[in-house]
Amino acid sequence: MANFLKLSTILSLMVSALLLASQYPTAFSSEFEDEDDDELEEYVLDAPNPNFRLRGRFFVSIIKKGAHCDAVKYNICNGVRANNGTSILNCCKTHCRNILGDRNNCGKCGNKCKFAQRCCNGKCTNVAYNPKHCGKCTRKCSAGVKCEYGYCGYA
């Protein structure tokens, strides 16, 4: 009987924690989430890529996020501009990455940003205290307003 009470108490605590986590998901998530959530699922190339043809005479004009590439044989994304100049794709290891916005490949392949930093225009930036990139890239605070903890005018 005592084991049953312990088991039922543990089970009820676990169910309560799961219900709480489902009602308040932001309470259990990080303030500085990965920027991949903000990115498009596809990169629309600024100019068709002559390195890769899609059957016949048609060139690729859209590359899906994380598309497979090989820097030597199947090079579809090295130095390719996309999304009206807001992205530059490089073949990092075996996948196309936006080096202007990827925290794990910021500015070049393999350059990882530190904790609480985001890759803003190819540079690792501390978004907690930068008034030009407050909380996320390109979020600017009004003139004279400080950026504190990722919020403009926190205090």
Side-chain angles (χ1 to χ4, degrees):
M1 185 68 172
N3 286 338
F4 177 74
L5 288 174
K6 287 180 185 177
L7 183 61
S8 63
T9 302
I10 291 171
L11 186 60
S12 65
L13 288 172
M14 288 176 57
V15 169
S16 299
L18 288 173
L19 287 173
L20 182 64
S22 67
Q23 288 179 349
Y24 303 102
T26 56
F28 297 96
S29 65
S30 171
E31 175 68 28
F32 301 103
E33 295 178 7
D34 197 2
E35 278 196 3
D36 286 342
D37 296 339
D38 297 337
E39 290 186 24
L40 302 172
E41 291 297 317
E42 298 177 328
Y43 297 107
V44 179
L45 303 183
D46 292 350
N49 190 345
N51 293 330
F52 184 66
R53 291 179 184 256
L54 180 70
R55 293 193 181 117
R57 65 180 188 259
F58 298 105
F59 296 116
V60 169
S61 61
I62 295 176
I63 295 178
K64 292 192 181 230
K65 181 175 142 184
H68 182 74
C69 61
D70 180 337
V72 177
K73 181 174 117 181
Y74 186 64
N75 186 3
I76 62 171
C77 58
N78 253 4
V80 176
R81 292 191 171 275
N83 299 337
N84 295 322
T86 60
S87 302
I88 296 178
L89 305 179
N90 267 5
C91 187
C92 298
K93 294 188 180 177
T94 59
H95 292 89
C96 294
R97 301 291 182 210
N98 173 16
I99 61 168
L100 295 182
D102 186 347
R103 291 176 60 179
N104 294 316
N105 301 288
C106 189
K108 63 180 181 177
C109 293
N111 185 36
K112 291 187 177 191
C113 294
K114 295 178 183 173
F115 179 75
Q117 290 184 335
R118 288 198 173 184
C119 184
C120 298
N121 203 22
K123 295 179 183 173
C124 291
T125 306
N126 184 341
V127 294
Y129 298 100
N130 188 329
K132 293 180 183 176
H133 305 282
C134 190
K136 69 178 195 174
C137 296
T138 69
R139 182 186 292 160
K140 294 181 182 181
C141 296
S142 300
V145 177
K146 285 184 176 182
C147 176
E148 296 178 292
Y149 308 107
Y151 295 97
C152 294
Y154 178 75

